[in-house]
Every structure is written in structure tokens, then in C-alpha cells.
Amino acid sequence: MNNSFTISDEQQNYTQYNLQANPFPYSPVPAEDPEIFCGQQHVAEQISSTVSSVLATGKSKHLVVTGKYGNGKSHTLKYTRSLLRDRDDVVVGYVAQPGEGFLDIYHEFMYDLGFNRIQELAYNWLASVARDVTDANPMGAESMRSLIDEGDVLLSDIVPEAIRKLSDITRFADFARAIVHMVYEDTNLYAWQWLTAEGIRYEQRKEMEIHSALDDDTMGVRAFTALKNLLLDLGYTSVFVFVDEFESIARLNSKNEQATLNSIRHLMDQNSSGLCVLFGCAPEVWQDVMSEYHAFSERIGQEVALRPLTSEHLYELVADYLNRERDEPNGEAPIHPFTEESLDMILQRSQGNVRQVLALCSRVLDTAIEDEREVITEEFVQESM
Amino acid sequence: MLYRRRELDLPNGNLDTPVLFPVRNLGKRSSDNTPTYVGDIPDFSSAIINARSIRNRDPMWNRLTNGVTLREEMDVPEDTIVFADSGGFDFTSGEVDTTPKETLETQRQLNADIYGTVDVPLSRKNRAAENQDRIEQSIQFALEASDHHDGDSLLLASVHGYDPETIRNNIQHLEKYGDFHGYALGSLVPIRTDYEKVTSLVLAARKATEKHLHVYGLGGLVYQPLLLYLGVDSFDSSAFIRAAGNRNYLIPGFGGEELQNIEEMERLPCPCPICGQRTLDDIRQDRTALTQHNLWALATELRRFRYVAESERDIENYLDLRFRGNEVTQRAYKTAKQQIRRLV
């Protein structure tokens, strides 16, 4: 029998290029927390301006980042998210794609925040109420949890007031009850399922005295607004929502597409402060939205387009990637073992598309190792492809 | 396993726990319809009474304040251990008509060994906010009782809640701000068919305190082994009286069977002193005998558990068998087993 497969876990040795590993991804997908953002200065400036305005003024502002497939929309959104996520005065949620309607956007947003974060918010809310109605002075979720566990604060002292006050702030009593139920081990999973619009049985809702089902776009907008109001009351300055692959709304039938855009519009209308939605969208779909759904596109107002990479940006990008796996620099050029000419060839082949650039760089670098090339020349790139 | 044995040193004698306090409905009606058992059933030299009912039945109260002792009124020996509940169950729908101080006075006057603090029970029918108010009231009553209590009697704080957090939170609060010998978990009767819920609440209480833990109202045949397994120190029950009222014959290890469903047998399956010498027809016609048998059935259930525990047999194997016949209680037991295994 002829065994033509040779499978091995032996690792390539990249030391001849003064590298510990191949820094380029084999399958370029956006990292969860990207560390590199290269070129696209105009995009960086536009996003910075939008985000900074929201942070500085508290007024809502939204932006669409357009770009062809592989030009870095997701990377840009995730990079921005990673910058914002470190701040403790904002809440950031990433929605990979809008799904079938606004309820899916809301669902994904909540999931991105996660059970623990929502539970922490619930404890923070109880802490805020406990500071008002008891002598205790819990300064955060952990200290609130500890006061409850130790019996310093009675749940029966603070829970009714917590629900009443949160109902006032959010104008959504069911939402208030669900948030408070996040602290009870018997019901927190039901509360979480309700809050994430997963749907729960009537009996489970009844146990929490929740009367409504969170099962359509209108309720999704209401719940999102309630969450944002809770967050602002807790001292957060703004909520950032990153909606990626917005072009997929084009898959929806016209009625659902319009309903989704209307719901987002309502969300924006109901949240004139403290909200920033950043969309990533293919340009052709955004053009259609602009021409057909004025009411929606006018509320966003701003668009910034990702451009194909230039040579200079490519050199910079490759140098940044190589630098991540570089041993101590020993005098070689930052793009070594690539040459400018070889990168120009890669740029030409990829038409400036970042995803393709990274995939090509990864492949060519491995081939160069196998061929024991000292440098990667234009000819070698041509041969390898 | 959380099952434990202890000995309580009480004003009228010592009491081995875990123990069942049979309900004496003294004061509830013109004459107590609990049959004699102290002295007849060696396991039960104790009783739980409703202090409020006795206090509110004027002729009886007059006797008790004019030299007749409670035990004389009950026709039991003077060393019978008495748990005086505040009678809070009557406040489920009515207004609280006593104060912690007054109730303590009554309990003292009755020479009770164990006092339960005044409480306002919860109901699933109430709105959550109403139940939160009631929980709060019970806590304040307990703390007030703690301030006024002295003497050798055990003071058990009555605790209510329909979720484990509230139970833990209440016990920790009372532990911190009051002085109690233990805790008595209430409001479980209205949710007794939700075995998993009850199990989780009892376990939450057991985890929150090492002190004496009593469970109000759930000492029937099915709950007894569960409560023992969960480390409850005492419980009370009127199931033997209520069951007899419904012509229900309690069979240890099984549950209740209506006598009308048993037709062909000459003798019933239990060899207790009541059933052993009598025919089915005798028992059928004698409600007092049926009540007495039912109490023997509760004693047997308790003895069996103790036997399994003391002989170092595997209690979980015993309970696996014990609950096999009923899907609901089996699920509750399995839930409890999982939770306990995570603890140990």
C-alpha cells in the first residue's frame, strides 16, 4: 500500500531569519484582541473622533466602517473594541453579524457581555441601592456579594427598593426584576435566558414575576435601552456596540430588512445619549442602505472606508508582524527575510487585500524555510505562488 | 452525608436529636385530639405546641395561670420536652396579634424547653414584595425576641425564604445581630410538593449554620428520611393526625394508603402495638387507633434511618431504595445527593 501522507508534528525552525515562529496566520481571521493596527490612518482618525466625542460629551454618535471582504473591517472593529475594553467607564459589546433582526443583535450583544458581567451589574445595582437605604457602604459588586453572604445587609431590605428604583429608571419593570434575579442561584439562569431573549417558559417567568416575553424587536429595543439606562445610572459614560458583517442584512427579505433597520433607528432615537454603534459593512450594501433607507442612514451620518494597502503600509504591517516573533534584532532590515520587491509582488498579487497579504506572507515564509533561502526575493515569491 | 446526632440539654431534661416533635393541637380546639403517645412510644417524649392558640383559649389559659402545669393539661409526664411555636402559621392570612415579648412571656409561662420566635409565613400566592415584607418582619421579630430572651430555654429564630440566598442571608444576619441557639425553617408546608425547592432551602440553611436546625411542619413519612439525610436536627408533624382524619394508613417505607383501598386483608402489614393485635376492621372503626398507628409509623421510619446510620451501612444505598418508588421524591433526593457530594 502506498502511503502518500506524511504527517508530523515536527516544528519548522525559523531561527535562520532570527524568528521564533512564523508570525503570519495560516488562515487569516481577525484576532479576538488584535495588537496591530497598521495604516488606514484616516480610519483610525475617524473612529477616534467618533469614540472621543461620545466619551467627552456623552452624546450618542454612530459610524459605519466600510471595506471590501478581507480589507480589515472586523479587525478594525475588534481593535477598537480592545482599546475601549480596558476602560472601566464604558461597556463594549461585539455582535459578529446582525442575524435575522434586531433581537438577534441584542442577543449577541448580551452574550458578548456574558453572564458574569450581567450578574456583576446586578450586584453593582444592589450596592448602589444598599448605599441609599442601609448604613452599609458597598463600593462594588464583590463587596455587595460579601455583605449579603455575611448577612451584613438583608436582601429583604434592599431587593424591593432595588426593583422599584430600577423600574423607574428603565421604565421596564420586568427588566428590573430579571436583573435583580441574577443574584439568586435558583433563578439566575432563567433571568439570564430572559435577558438574552432566549425565551423561557411561562412558569419560569412567573417565578420571577416577569409578565412579558422578550421575543420581538420592539422588546429587544426596550431591553437594550433599559440596560443602557441602568449602566448610565451606575456611572458608566457610554455603551459601545460593534455590529460586524452588517452587509448580511441584504440576505433578509425586504420586509425584515426594513424592520431591522427601523428597530436600529428606534434604538438610536430612544438613546440620544450614551450610545455609540459602529457598523462594519461591505460598501455595496451600505450604498443600497443609503439610497433606500434614508431614515436609518441619516441617523448614522458618518462613513469611513477602509482602503487597499499601499506599499508603505504593507512594509509597516509585515515589519510589525515579524517583530512579534523576532529574537533580539541583529541589524537586519525590519522586513527581513522579505525584500521590498518581494512584498511589492505580494501586494500586486493580493491587490492590497490584507487577508490575502497575510496568507501569502505566511505561505511564502514557510516555503522559504523549506528551500533554505537566505532572503525572499521577488522571483521566489513568483515561483512560490 | 450531613446526618448527625446530638444531645440537647434542656430545662426539663435531655433530648437526643434528630427528633420528631409530634404536634399537640392543644388550644386549637376545645379538647386536644392528639392521642396519648408519651410513654407508649419511647421515641417520642416530646411535643410541639402552638403557644398563641393556648394563650387565646381563655379557660385553658386561666387554668395554666392558676397552678395547672402545661404537662398536666397535656396529661404527660413533667419531663416531657415541649417546643412552643409562636403560632405564626396562623398569621399566613391574618394580622399579627402578638409581640415577640408577649410570645416569650407565654412560652415562659408554659415552661417550654424550646421557643420559636414570632414569624409571618410566606405564601406563593403573595406578590414577591409582600413576601419580602414578611421575611423582613420575621427577622425583626426574631431580633426583638433575642433582645428579651434569657433563661435556659433554647431560642430558635424562625427563618423564611423561597430561595437559598435569602435563607443564607437571613441566618447570617441573625447570627451576626442576634443570639440564638438555632434556627427553625418555616413556610415550607405550602411548597411541600416542590421537593427539589424544599431540599435546596433546607440545604442552604444547613450550610449556613452549625447550630440546631428545625424544620416546621415537614415530618411526614416521605420528608423524614430526606431531612435526616440533609442534617436537620428536628422536625414536627401533624401528618399522623391529618392522615387519620382522612382514613389514611401510613406504611413506613411506602407512604399513605387509604383504608378504603384495603379490603381483603384481615390484618394490616404493621406489627406495631396498635396493629399487631387488631384486625383491619378494628382499626377501620377506631380513628384514635389509626392515629396512634400513624405515629408508630413515623417512629419506625425514624428508627430505620437511625439503624442504617448506626450500623454503618450505606445510607445512600438505603435512600436509593427508599425513594425508588416515587419519581418526584427520587429526583429531589438525587438533587440533594449531588449537592451534598459537592460539599463533602
Side-chain angles (χ1 to χ4, degrees):
Chain A
M1 193 170 65
N2 178 21
N3 189 354
S4 52
F5 286 92
T6 313
I7 294 174
S8 158
D9 60 358
E10 192 180 325
Q11 294 193 351
Q12 298 264 42
N13 183 358
Y14 296 89
T15 51
Q16 70 178 92
Y17 300 139
N18 197 21
L19 294 170
Q20 290 179 349
N22 185 341
F24 303 103
Y26 291 116
S27 170
V29 289
E32 274 308 294
D33 285 302
E35 291 167 4
I36 294 171
F37 188 77
C38 184
Q40 312 287 1
Q41 191 56 32
H42 65 295
V43 175
E45 283 170 8
Q46 185 68 64
I47 290 177
S48 302
S49 159
T50 303
V51 168
S52 303
S53 297
V54 177
L55 291 173
T57 66
K59 290 182 193 165
S60 297
K61 201 170 183 184
H62 317 291
L63 176 70
V64 176
V65 179
T66 58
K68 291 190 178 302
Y69 289 103
N71 270 0
K73 295 185 296 294
S74 302
H75 181 87
T76 303
L77 293 187
K78 287 188 171 177
Y79 184 76
T80 312
R81 176 180 68 161
S82 71
L83 295 179
L84 279 167
R85 214 154 45 176
D86 294 337
R87 296 180 63 108
D88 54 14
D89 61 342
V90 300
V91 167
V92 187
Y94 176 82
V95 176
Q97 49 114 351
E100 303 296 318
F102 183 76
L103 199 64
D104 285 350
I105 294 178
Y106 168 77
H107 172 85
E108 288 298 310
F109 176 81
M110 292 297 279
Y111 253 86
D112 194 53
L113 296 189
F115 178 92
N116 291 341
R117 186 80 191 272
I118 297 293
Q119 191 178 51
E120 190 185 310
L121 289 175
Y123 275 110
N124 272 322
W125 177 249
L126 290 187
S128 129
V129 172
R131 287 195 295 273
D132 286 347
V133 302
T134 71
D135 296 333
N137 192 28
M139 293 316 292
E142 261 320 297
S143 60
M144 187 67 240
R145 191 194 292 260
S146 161
L147 287 175
I148 292 170
D149 288 348
E150 300 298 320
D152 292 298
V153 167
L154 268 178
L155 276 168
S156 51
D157 263 349
I158 55 172
V159 162
E161 180 63 8
I163 292 174
R164 193 197 59 72
K165 202 171 162 197
L166 190 54
S167 299
D168 284 351
I169 287 167
T170 60
R171 293 181 198 153
F172 195 175
D174 284 348
F175 178 87
R177 291 190 191 100
I179 286 289
V180 170
H181 271 277
M182 287 297 293
V183 307
Y184 292 106
E185 73 178 42
D186 268 11
T187 46
N188 58 21
L189 280 179
Y190 300 152
W192 169 245
Q193 283 176 301
W194 187 86
L195 284 166
T196 52
E198 276 188 15
I200 54 174
R201 294 201 312 270
Y202 170 75
E203 299 77 40
Q204 295 165 338
R205 273 198 278 134
K206 194 176 161 199
E207 189 163 352
M208 298 183 285
E209 288 192 339
I210 290 177
H211 305 293
S212 56
L214 212 171
D215 59 0
D216 61 25
D217 283 3
T218 308
M219 291 297 277
V221 170
R222 210 173 155 203
F224 189 98
T225 304
L227 177 69
K228 193 218 71 179
N229 289 340
L230 161 66
L231 291 166
L232 294 195
D233 201 83
L234 284 173
Y236 291 90
T237 55
S238 33
V239 178
F240 289 84
V241 188
F242 296 81
V243 185
D244 208 351
E245 293 186 23
F246 195 63
E247 61 274 8
S248 65
I249 59 157
R251 281 187 297 107
L252 304 177
N253 64 37
S254 166
K255 189 179 158 205
N256 288 347
E257 183 180 355
Q258 186 149 13
T260 305
L261 295 174
N262 267 336
S263 296
I264 300 174
R265 179 169 69 83
H266 288 143
L267 180 79
M268 290 170 174
D269 288 352
Q270 288 173 32
N271 293 279
S272 58
S273 63
L275 177 65
C276 176
V277 189
L278 261 65
F279 298 90
C281 186
E284 55 277 12
V285 173
W286 184 243
Q287 285 305 319
D288 290 346
V289 170
M290 292 248 285
S291 58
E292 291 175 34
Y293 302 103
H294 298 281
F296 172 74
S297 60
E298 280 165 9
R299 278 164 175 80
I300 295 181
Q302 294 178 95
E303 175 195 348
V304 63
L306 287 159
R307 296 175 193 147
L309 285 177
T310 62
S311 294
E312 286 68 32
H313 290 148
L314 176 58
Y315 304 157
E316 199 186 323
L317 177 76
V318 170
D320 279 349
Y321 266 91
L322 290 168
N323 200 36
R324 289 162 69 182
E325 295 294 342
R326 189 75 85 192
D327 289 327
E328 288 298 304
N330 56 6
E332 71 273 328
I335 56 171
H336 175 77
F338 293 96
T339 62
E340 290 192 354
E341 293 74 20
S342 66
L343 289 181
D344 288 343
M345 172 60 69
I346 288 173
L347 187 66
Q348 190 190 328
R349 282 300 183 101
S350 61
Q351 297 181 313
N353 183 296
V354 181
R355 182 177 294 156
Q356 288 181 35
V357 162
L358 294 172
L360 284 173
C361 286
S362 179
R363 210 167 78 206
V364 169
L365 187 69
D366 273 0
T367 316
I369 289 285
E370 282 163 20
D371 284 13
E372 297 178 352
R373 297 284 176 137
E374 243 176 70
V375 288
I376 297 170
T377 62
E378 182 184 359
E379 294 73 29
F380 181 71
V381 170
Q382 206 152 16
E383 282 169 30
S384 318
M385 291 192 295
Chain B
M1 187 185 60
L2 301 177
Y3 170 75
R4 61 188 204 173
R5 291 190 66 184
R6 295 200 167 179
E7 186 179 327
L8 297 178
D9 180 14
L10 301 166
N12 292 290
N14 291 349
L15 182 68
D16 290 327
T17 64
V19 67
L20 168 75
F21 289 94
V23 169
R24 291 293 301 252
N25 47 20
L26 204 69
K28 271 287 181 187
R29 25 187 311 141
S30 55
S31 64
D32 179 10
N33 69 350
T34 312
T36 308
Y37 63 83
V38 179
D40 292 341
I41 305 179
D43 312 67
F44 302 141
S45 57
S46 55
I48 188 166
I49 52 154
N50 180 332
R52 177 176 171 273
S53 299
I54 296 172
R55 176 71 186 78
N56 288 350
R57 188 160 284 278
D58 289 338
M60 186 181 288
W61 186 245
N62 288 338
R63 284 197 297 278
L64 289 169
T65 48
N66 284 302
V68 176
T69 70
L70 173 73
R71 280 126 183 120
E72 283 168 353
E73 186 73 25
M74 290 163 68
D75 194 20
V76 295
E78 284 301 315
D79 60 357
T80 302
I81 303 299
V82 173
F83 183 148
D85 168 31
S86 71
F89 200 69
D90 298 335
F91 307 137
T92 304
S93 51
E95 286 291 306
V96 179
D97 58 4
T98 182
T99 65
K101 198 175 174 185
E102 276 171 21
T103 298
L104 278 178
E105 280 306 318
T106 307
Q107 289 162 327
R108 239 177 242 137
Q109 179 70 40
L110 295 172
N111 190 20
D113 297 276
I114 303 175
Y115 303 168
T117 59
V118 180
D119 52 353
V120 198
L122 314 181
S123 164
R124 273 248 167 107
K125 289 176 190 157
N126 292 343
R127 297 198 58 220
E130 161 72 16
N131 277 342
Q132 293 285 0
D133 272 354
R134 287 169 166 257
I135 291 167
E136 175 80 19
Q137 261 185 295
S138 297
I139 294 289
Q140 295 315 323
F141 286 151
L143 291 174
E144 221 176 297
S146 164
D147 288 344
H148 291 103
H149 177 252
D150 51 26
D152 297 331
S153 300
L154 254 59
L155 182 66
L156 303 188
S158 305
V159 173
H160 300 263
Y162 279 160
D163 62 87
E165 272 76 17
T166 298
I167 298 293
R168 277 195 292 272
N169 175 245
N170 285 355
I171 290 179
Q172 296 300 350
H173 186 81
L174 291 166
E175 193 67 20
K176 192 159 269 184
Y177 298 102
D179 185 9
F180 302 97
H181 299 93
Y183 299 91
L185 203 52
S187 298
L188 300 182
V189 172
I191 58 165
R192 64 184 178 278
T193 52
D194 189 348
Y195 288 94
E196 287 187 66
K197 169 69 95 181
V198 170
T199 302
S200 74
L201 298 178
V202 171
L203 198 53
R206 183 67 291 167
K207 284 195 288 189
T209 180
E210 268 298 297
K211 290 183 176 174
H212 186 95
L213 179 63
H214 179 86
V215 169
Y216 284 125
L218 292 186
L221 278 187
V222 177
Y223 265 111
Q224 251 195 47
L226 261 182
L227 297 181
L228 292 167
Y229 178 65
L230 293 169
V232 172
D233 299 298
S234 61
F235 30 84
D236 59 86
S237 179
S238 60
F240 61 105
I241 304 173
R242 283 182 291 106
N246 297 324
R247 296 292 184 271
N248 227 330
Y249 182 78
L250 300 184
I251 309 170
F254 287 88
E257 182 67 63
E258 287 183 29
L259 281 178
Q260 64 180 7
N261 297 334
I262 312 171
E263 288 176 359
E264 303 298 324
M265 296 178 74
E266 191 189 342
R267 293 187 191 281
L268 286 158
C270 174
C272 76
I274 307 299
C275 307
Q277 301 297 324
R278 300 181 200 207
T279 64
L280 167 60
D281 284 339
D282 287 342
I283 303 282
R284 209 192 290 276
Q285 286 159 22
D286 184 350
R287 186 165 140 181
T288 302
L290 181 57
T291 310
Q292 285 170 319
H293 153 77
N294 283 347
L295 202 47
W296 269 107
L298 294 177
T300 308
E301 188 80 53
L302 191 57
R303 282 187 193 184
R304 274 191 193 165
F305 194 100
R306 278 190 183 145
Y307 168 72
V308 175
E310 300 309 318
S311 61
E312 295 183 355
R313 284 160 205 269
D314 189 331
I315 284 188
E316 290 185 348
N317 279 348
Y318 165 67
L319 293 178
D320 285 338
L321 281 171
R322 172 69 182 79
F323 290 114
R324 186 172 283 177
N326 183 320
E327 202 182 309
V328 180
T329 49
Q330 189 180 42
R331 201 168 54 237
Y333 162 60
K334 279 185 177 167
T335 308
K337 187 160 70 171
Q338 283 163 2
Q339 288 176 305
I340 285 175
R341 283 183 174 178
R342 278 202 292 271
L343 280 180
V344 180

